[in-house]
């Protein structure tokens, strides 16, 4: 988080399990929060997002989720279309993590990555790392790579990441 330029207060990140569990935990945290608290939900969008500045609109359309009373769009942060989009966007981090066995040509093109399906992105990562000692997999390894990503690289390629960073910078400084 500090590498993203956040200073002052640092966000507490709470892994909540399933997508529905995450939403339920967000609603409860939002309900009991104090007015000075910033409570946000960070989830995969699962599908491309029509308007990154209106995440609750996307979540309502896709998942039937209503923003809790008093919640605003700055409290819904989306990884569009999935965390794997963030991972696939930073080729330098992937090269450093996987080494020469990484098959970059198997990765999806970096242009308009957030318009691609999560299945396409995951398939590209899986194919690109198939011959690596530890091929890409969700879980411990994916979070290890996530910690190595360059925020400036992601911000330059992913509008939804740039939005997350902009909001967190404003809320945490």
């Amino acid at each position: 988080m500090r590498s993203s330029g956040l200073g002052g207060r640092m966000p507490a990140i709470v892994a909540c399990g399933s997508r529905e569990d995450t939403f339920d935990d967000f609603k409860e945290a939002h309900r009991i929060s104090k007015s000075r608290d910033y409570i946000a939900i960070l989830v995969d969008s699962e599908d491309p997002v029509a308007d990154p500045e209106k995440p609750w609109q996307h979540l309502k359309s896709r998942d039937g989720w209503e923003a809790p009373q008093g919640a605003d769009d700055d409290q819904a942060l989306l990884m569009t279309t999935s965390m794997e989009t963030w991972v696939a966007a930073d080729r330098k981090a992937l090269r450093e993590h996987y080494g020469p066995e990484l098959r970059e040509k198997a990765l999806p093109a970096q242009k308009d990555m957030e318009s691609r399906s999560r299945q396409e992105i995951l398939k590209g990562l899986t194919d690109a790392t198939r011959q690596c000692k530890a091929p890409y997999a969700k879980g411990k390894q994916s979070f290890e790579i996530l910690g190595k990503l360059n925020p400036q690289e992601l911000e330059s390629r992913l509008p939804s990441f740039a939005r997350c960073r902009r909001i967190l910078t404003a809320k945490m400084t």
Side-chain angles (χ1 to χ4, degrees), residues 3 8 25-26 28 41 43 50 59 81 84 88 103 107 126 133 136-137 140-141 147 155 170:
S3 66
D25 287 352
F26 168 75
E28 180 62 13
I41 184 171
V43 292
L59 293 169
T81 55
E84 283 72 27
R103 293 181 38 239
L107 294 167
T126 302
K133 188 167 98 173
Y136 182 83
K140 182 181 176 190
Q141 185 184 90
E155 188 171 26

Side-chain angles (χ1 to χ4, degrees), residues 14 39 50 59 121 148:
V14 180
I39 306 295
L59 293 169
I121 300 287
K148 296 177 179 180

